[in-house]
Amino acid sequence: MEKDSQIRTGVFGGTFNPIHIGHLALANYLCEFGAVDEVWFMVSPQNPFKRNDALLDDRVRLEMVEAAVDGYPRFRASDFEFGLPRPSYTVTTLNRLAEAYPEREFHLVIGADNWAAFDRWKSPEEIVRKHHVLVYPRKGFPLRPETFPRNVRMVDTPLLEISSTFIRNAVREGKDVRYFLHPEVCRIIRERKLYE
């Protein structure tokens, strides 16, 4: 398939513990304002930089992502990393995705905070050489797009400073945070008493 006819697929990785409207709005913006054709929410079974004390079961987090993206054809929940060696490294995921889906051009979606620490990732030069990287703004992490390598570009998405940690803590404190979550995700959390 010709390069210019490939489907531009954003790879938005995370533990999504839980997925919230900040994640969804960012991905929605990327799809509707020309950065990518679709976004795959890559549910990570293990982040090498995070301790997993409060991490829900992989399948439960995947189920919440599936519920959140249902009905929007440009979003997909992906468990691709579940079958990869752990800890799961982004470079491995991207390389395996490129092998499995040659009709797609993968664009890694990361925040400015992750870009600031990108040199500490496994094989960052390989990621940039073989794949595209889209960097979105995060408060407190200024970006200098003029210094970016060729395959890296800034996407000027709206700033929505909501975190999964905030959601978990709020639920634990008995707060009603329904408007920070997709209604189906909120229902799953409430019915199963997750994060309490």
Side-chain angles (χ1 to χ4, degrees), residues 15-43:
T15 52
F16 300 112
N17 189 36
I19 188 168
H20 54 67
I21 61 156
H23 298 130
L24 296 167
L26 169 69
N28 189 187
Y29 184 94
L30 294 174
C31 288
E32 298 297 336
F33 291 88
V36 292
D37 301 311
E38 61 183 8
V39 170
W40 291 7
F41 291 82
M42 189 67 54
V43 181

mmCIF file of all heavy atoms in Angstrom, residues 15-43:
data_model
loop_
_atom_site.group_PDB
_atom_site.id
_atom_site.type_symbol
_atom_site.label_atom_id
_atom_site.label_comp_id
_atom_site.label_asym_id
_atom_site.label_seq_id
_atom_site.Cartn_x
_atom_site.Cartn_y
_atom_site.Cartn_z
ATOM 1 N N THR A 15 -2.541 3.439 31.375
ATOM 2 C CA THR A 15 -3.208 2.445 32.214
ATOM 3 C C THR A 15 -4.721 2.682 32.207
ATOM 4 O O THR A 15 -5.489 1.768 32.456
ATOM 5 C CB THR A 15 -2.667 2.498 33.664
ATOM 6 O OG1 THR A 15 -2.745 3.840 34.143
ATOM 7 C CG2 THR A 15 -1.231 2.017 33.733
ATOM 8 N N PHE A 16 -5.151 3.935 31.941
ATOM 9 C CA PHE A 16 -6.582 4.271 31.915
ATOM 10 C C PHE A 16 -7.268 3.708 33.153
ATOM 11 O O PHE A 16 -8.175 2.887 33.076
ATOM 12 C CB PHE A 16 -7.238 3.783 30.615
ATOM 13 C CG PHE A 16 -6.619 4.396 29.386
ATOM 14 C CD1 PHE A 16 -5.890 3.618 28.492
ATOM 15 C CD2 PHE A 16 -6.721 5.756 29.154
ATOM 16 C CE1 PHE A 16 -5.298 4.189 27.368
ATOM 17 C CE2 PHE A 16 -6.134 6.336 28.029
ATOM 18 C CZ PHE A 16 -5.432 5.548 27.135
ATOM 19 N N ASN A 17 -6.830 4.226 34.293
ATOM 20 C CA ASN A 17 -7.224 3.690 35.599
ATOM 21 C C ASN A 17 -7.914 4.746 36.474
ATOM 22 O O ASN A 17 -7.376 5.089 37.511
ATOM 23 C CB ASN A 17 -5.960 3.140 36.290
ATOM 24 C CG ASN A 17 -6.263 2.374 37.559
ATOM 25 O OD1 ASN A 17 -7.254 1.676 37.657
ATOM 26 N ND2 ASN A 17 -5.410 2.521 38.558
ATOM 27 N N PRO A 18 -9.104 5.284 36.024
ATOM 28 C CA PRO A 18 -9.897 4.907 34.861
ATOM 29 C C PRO A 18 -9.710 5.898 33.695
ATOM 30 O O PRO A 18 -9.110 6.956 33.868
ATOM 31 C CB PRO A 18 -11.327 5.038 35.405
ATOM 32 C CG PRO A 18 -11.244 6.247 36.298
ATOM 33 C CD PRO A 18 -9.865 6.181 36.932
ATOM 34 N N ILE A 19 -10.273 5.539 32.543
ATOM 35 C CA ILE A 19 -10.365 6.474 31.425
ATOM 36 C C ILE A 19 -11.338 7.588 31.824
ATOM 37 O O ILE A 19 -12.323 7.337 32.516
ATOM 38 C CB ILE A 19 -10.823 5.747 30.136
ATOM 39 C CG1 ILE A 19 -10.721 6.688 28.933
ATOM 40 C CG2 ILE A 19 -12.208 5.105 30.294
ATOM 41 C CD1 ILE A 19 -10.864 5.992 27.582
ATOM 42 N N HIS A 20 -11.046 8.831 31.432
ATOM 43 C CA HIS A 20 -11.908 9.963 31.810
ATOM 44 C C HIS A 20 -12.085 10.900 30.622
ATOM 45 O O HIS A 20 -11.528 10.667 29.542
ATOM 46 C CB HIS A 20 -11.339 10.690 33.038
ATOM 47 C CG HIS A 20 -9.923 11.132 32.889
ATOM 48 N ND1 HIS A 20 -9.517 12.118 32.007
ATOM 49 C CD2 HIS A 20 -8.772 10.719 33.507
ATOM 50 C CE1 HIS A 20 -8.222 12.309 32.102
ATOM 51 N NE2 HIS A 20 -7.733 11.458 32.995
ATOM 52 N N ILE A 21 -12.862 11.961 30.829
ATOM 53 C CA ILE A 21 -13.191 12.846 29.701
ATOM 54 C C ILE A 21 -11.980 13.590 29.158
ATOM 55 O O ILE A 21 -11.979 13.993 28.001
ATOM 56 C CB ILE A 21 -14.323 13.848 30.039
ATOM 57 C CG1 ILE A 21 -13.932 14.764 31.203
ATOM 58 C CG2 ILE A 21 -15.629 13.127 30.296
ATOM 59 C CD1 ILE A 21 -14.685 16.076 31.209
ATOM 60 N N GLY A 22 -10.943 13.764 29.959
ATOM 61 C CA GLY A 22 -9.722 14.390 29.453
ATOM 62 C C GLY A 22 -9.103 13.546 28.342
ATOM 63 O O GLY A 22 -8.719 14.062 27.288
ATOM 64 N N HIS A 23 -9.021 12.230 28.565
ATOM 65 C CA HIS A 23 -8.508 11.308 27.555
ATOM 66 C C HIS A 23 -9.370 11.365 26.291
ATOM 67 O O HIS A 23 -8.867 11.449 25.173
ATOM 68 C CB HIS A 23 -8.531 9.856 28.062
ATOM 69 C CG HIS A 23 -7.687 9.586 29.252
ATOM 70 N ND1 HIS A 23 -8.169 8.933 30.367
ATOM 71 C CD2 HIS A 23 -6.379 9.864 29.513
ATOM 72 C CE1 HIS A 23 -7.194 8.805 31.262
ATOM 73 N NE2 HIS A 23 -6.102 9.371 30.776
ATOM 74 N N LEU A 24 -10.682 11.309 26.491
ATOM 75 C CA LEU A 24 -11.623 11.235 25.368
ATOM 76 C C LEU A 24 -11.637 12.532 24.561
ATOM 77 O O LEU A 24 -11.648 12.500 23.322
ATOM 78 C CB LEU A 24 -13.022 10.901 25.879
ATOM 79 C CG LEU A 24 -13.144 9.526 26.549
ATOM 80 C CD1 LEU A 24 -14.450 9.410 27.308
ATOM 81 C CD2 LEU A 24 -13.011 8.414 25.519
ATOM 82 N N ALA A 25 -11.617 13.663 25.245
ATOM 83 C CA ALA A 25 -11.641 14.955 24.543
ATOM 84 C C ALA A 25 -10.368 15.158 23.730
ATOM 85 O O ALA A 25 -10.405 15.654 22.595
ATOM 86 C CB ALA A 25 -11.827 16.095 25.548
ATOM 87 N N LEU A 26 -9.232 14.776 24.295
ATOM 88 C CA LEU A 26 -7.954 14.885 23.583
ATOM 89 C C LEU A 26 -7.980 14.036 22.309
ATOM 90 O O LEU A 26 -7.655 14.512 21.216
ATOM 91 C CB LEU A 26 -6.812 14.427 24.501
ATOM 92 C CG LEU A 26 -5.452 14.234 23.836
ATOM 93 C CD1 LEU A 26 -4.869 15.570 23.402
ATOM 94 C CD2 LEU A 26 -4.494 13.517 24.765
ATOM 95 N N ALA A 27 -8.402 12.784 22.431
ATOM 96 C CA ALA A 27 -8.451 11.882 21.280
ATOM 97 C C ALA A 27 -9.465 12.365 20.247
ATOM 98 O O ALA A 27 -9.215 12.298 19.034
ATOM 99 C CB ALA A 27 -8.792 10.471 21.755
ATOM 100 N N ASN A 28 -10.587 12.872 20.705
ATOM 101 C CA ASN A 28 -11.618 13.429 19.831
ATOM 102 C C ASN A 28 -11.037 14.589 19.009
ATOM 103 O O ASN A 28 -11.229 14.671 17.787
ATOM 104 C CB ASN A 28 -12.788 13.898 20.700
ATOM 105 C CG ASN A 28 -14.022 14.316 19.929
ATOM 106 O OD1 ASN A 28 -14.961 14.817 20.536
ATOM 107 N ND2 ASN A 28 -14.067 14.126 18.629
ATOM 108 N N TYR A 29 -10.292 15.457 19.671
ATOM 109 C CA TYR A 29 -9.663 16.599 18.996
ATOM 110 C C TYR A 29 -8.684 16.104 17.922
ATOM 111 O O TYR A 29 -8.675 16.619 16.799
ATOM 112 C CB TYR A 29 -8.941 17.479 20.021
ATOM 113 C CG TYR A 29 -8.344 18.734 19.423
ATOM 114 C CD1 TYR A 29 -9.052 19.932 19.439
ATOM 115 C CD2 TYR A 29 -7.078 18.721 18.847
ATOM 116 C CE1 TYR A 29 -8.512 21.091 18.884
ATOM 117 C CE2 TYR A 29 -6.532 19.865 18.290
ATOM 118 C CZ TYR A 29 -7.250 21.054 18.317
ATOM 119 O OH TYR A 29 -6.711 22.189 17.748
ATOM 120 N N LEU A 30 -7.864 15.136 18.255
ATOM 121 C CA LEU A 30 -6.875 14.617 17.301
ATOM 122 C C LEU A 30 -7.550 14.066 16.049
ATOM 123 O O LEU A 30 -7.065 14.257 14.933
ATOM 124 C CB LEU A 30 -6.022 13.524 17.949
ATOM 125 C CG LEU A 30 -5.099 13.955 19.086
ATOM 126 C CD1 LEU A 30 -4.425 12.754 19.722
ATOM 127 C CD2 LEU A 30 -4.060 14.960 18.619
ATOM 128 N N CYS A 31 -8.683 13.387 16.224
ATOM 129 C CA CYS A 31 -9.407 12.825 15.086
ATOM 130 C C CYS A 31 -10.115 13.890 14.257
ATOM 131 O O CYS A 31 -10.062 13.868 13.031
ATOM 132 C CB CYS A 31 -10.451 11.813 15.567
ATOM 133 S SG CYS A 31 -9.764 10.267 16.168
ATOM 134 N N GLU A 32 -10.774 14.814 14.908
ATOM 135 C CA GLU A 32 -11.631 15.762 14.199
ATOM 136 C C GLU A 32 -10.883 16.965 13.637
ATOM 137 O O GLU A 32 -11.398 17.662 12.767
ATOM 138 C CB GLU A 32 -12.770 16.230 15.116
ATOM 139 C CG GLU A 32 -13.704 15.112 15.562
ATOM 140 C CD GLU A 32 -14.465 14.448 14.411
ATOM 141 O OE1 GLU A 32 -14.643 15.081 13.346
ATOM 142 O OE2 GLU A 32 -14.871 13.280 14.573
ATOM 143 N N PHE A 33 -9.679 17.224 14.138
ATOM 144 C CA PHE A 33 -8.942 18.398 13.668
ATOM 145 C C PHE A 33 -7.670 18.021 12.909
ATOM 146 O O PHE A 33 -6.692 18.769 12.892
ATOM 147 C CB PHE A 33 -8.669 19.356 14.832
ATOM 148 C CG PHE A 33 -9.921 20.006 15.339
ATOM 149 C CD1 PHE A 33 -10.680 19.386 16.318
ATOM 150 C CD2 PHE A 33 -10.371 21.209 14.809
ATOM 151 C CE1 PHE A 33 -11.867 19.961 16.769
ATOM 152 C CE2 PHE A 33 -11.557 21.794 15.258
ATOM 153 C CZ PHE A 33 -12.308 21.163 16.239
ATOM 154 N N GLY A 34 -7.703 16.844 12.293
ATOM 155 C CA GLY A 34 -6.732 16.519 11.264
ATOM 156 C C GLY A 34 -5.409 15.885 11.638
ATOM 157 O O GLY A 34 -4.594 15.629 10.762
ATOM 158 N N ALA A 35 -5.166 15.611 12.912
ATOM 159 C CA ALA A 35 -3.870 15.013 13.271
ATOM 160 C C ALA A 35 -3.809 13.540 12.856
ATOM 161 O O ALA A 35 -2.792 13.070 12.361
ATOM 162 C CB ALA A 35 -3.594 15.150 14.764
ATOM 163 N N VAL A 36 -4.915 12.801 13.068
ATOM 164 C CA VAL A 36 -4.974 11.373 12.742
ATOM 165 C C VAL A 36 -6.370 11.022 12.236
ATOM 166 O O VAL A 36 -7.315 11.797 12.385
ATOM 167 C CB VAL A 36 -4.626 10.481 13.970
ATOM 168 C CG1 VAL A 36 -3.167 10.623 14.369
ATOM 169 C CG2 VAL A 36 -5.545 10.765 15.145
ATOM 170 N N ASP A 37 -6.480 9.838 11.652
ATOM 171 C CA ASP A 37 -7.777 9.358 11.169
ATOM 172 C C ASP A 37 -8.547 8.620 12.253
ATOM 173 O O ASP A 37 -9.773 8.556 12.214
ATOM 174 C CB ASP A 37 -7.572 8.408 9.977
ATOM 175 C CG ASP A 37 -6.851 9.090 8.829
ATOM 176 O OD1 ASP A 37 -7.259 10.201 8.443
ATOM 177 O OD2 ASP A 37 -5.857 8.519 8.325
ATOM 178 N N GLU A 38 -7.811 8.047 13.185
ATOM 179 C CA GLU A 38 -8.428 7.261 14.256
ATOM 180 C C GLU A 38 -7.475 7.224 15.443
ATOM 181 O O GLU A 38 -6.290 7.509 15.293
ATOM 182 C CB GLU A 38 -8.725 5.830 13.778
ATOM 183 C CG GLU A 38 -7.477 5.073 13.364
ATOM 184 C CD GLU A 38 -7.736 3.678 12.809
ATOM 185 O OE1 GLU A 38 -8.912 3.308 12.587
ATOM 186 O OE2 GLU A 38 -6.747 2.946 12.613
ATOM 187 N N VAL A 39 -8.016 6.873 16.619
ATOM 188 C CA VAL A 39 -7.178 6.720 17.822
ATOM 189 C C VAL A 39 -7.462 5.362 18.440
ATOM 190 O O VAL A 39 -8.614 4.989 18.652
ATOM 191 C CB VAL A 39 -7.438 7.842 18.853
ATOM 192 C CG1 VAL A 39 -6.747 7.525 20.179
ATOM 193 C CG2 VAL A 39 -6.949 9.186 18.337
ATOM 194 N N TRP A 40 -6.370 4.629 18.698
ATOM 195 C CA TRP A 40 -6.462 3.380 19.446
ATOM 196 C C TRP A 40 -6.019 3.651 20.878
ATOM 197 O O TRP A 40 -4.902 4.103 21.118
ATOM 198 C CB TRP A 40 -5.565 2.310 18.828
ATOM 199 C CG TRP A 40 -6.019 1.809 17.499
ATOM 200 C CD1 TRP A 40 -7.045 2.287 16.727
ATOM 201 C CD2 TRP A 40 -5.454 0.719 16.773
ATOM 202 N NE1 TRP A 40 -7.150 1.573 15.576
ATOM 203 C CE2 TRP A 40 -6.182 0.596 15.568
ATOM 204 C CE3 TRP A 40 -4.397 -0.162 17.021
ATOM 205 C CZ2 TRP A 40 -5.887 -0.375 14.621
ATOM 206 C CZ3 TRP A 40 -4.112 -1.132 16.068
ATOM 207 C CH2 TRP A 40 -4.850 -1.243 14.883
ATOM 208 N N PHE A 41 -6.905 3.383 21.829
ATOM 209 C CA PHE A 41 -6.576 3.506 23.254
ATOM 210 C C PHE A 41 -5.884 2.207 23.660
ATOM 211 O O PHE A 41 -6.528 1.165 23.781
ATOM 212 C CB PHE A 41 -7.837 3.736 24.085
ATOM 213 C CG PHE A 41 -8.468 5.083 23.872
ATOM 214 C CD1 PHE A 41 -9.306 5.313 22.785
ATOM 215 C CD2 PHE A 41 -8.227 6.131 24.745
ATOM 216 C CE1 PHE A 41 -9.885 6.551 22.574
ATOM 217 C CE2 PHE A 41 -8.809 7.376 24.546
ATOM 218 C CZ PHE A 41 -9.640 7.588 23.451
ATOM 219 N N MET A 42 -4.567 2.290 23.815
ATOM 220 C CA MET A 42 -3.745 1.111 24.085
ATOM 221 C C MET A 42 -3.665 0.913 25.595
ATOM 222 O O MET A 42 -2.898 1.598 26.285
ATOM 223 C CB MET A 42 -2.349 1.351 23.497
ATOM 224 C CG MET A 42 -1.437 0.160 23.504
ATOM 225 S SD MET A 42 -1.938 -1.178 22.413
ATOM 226 C CE MET A 42 -2.119 -0.354 20.827
ATOM 227 N N VAL A 43 -4.472 0.001 26.114
ATOM 228 C CA VAL A 43 -4.511 -0.229 27.562
ATOM 229 C C VAL A 43 -3.240 -0.970 27.957
ATOM 230 O O VAL A 43 -2.962 -2.069 27.483
ATOM 231 C CB VAL A 43 -5.768 -1.027 27.961
ATOM 232 C CG1 VAL A 43 -5.792 -1.237 29.476
ATOM 233 C CG2 VAL A 43 -7.028 -0.308 27.491
#
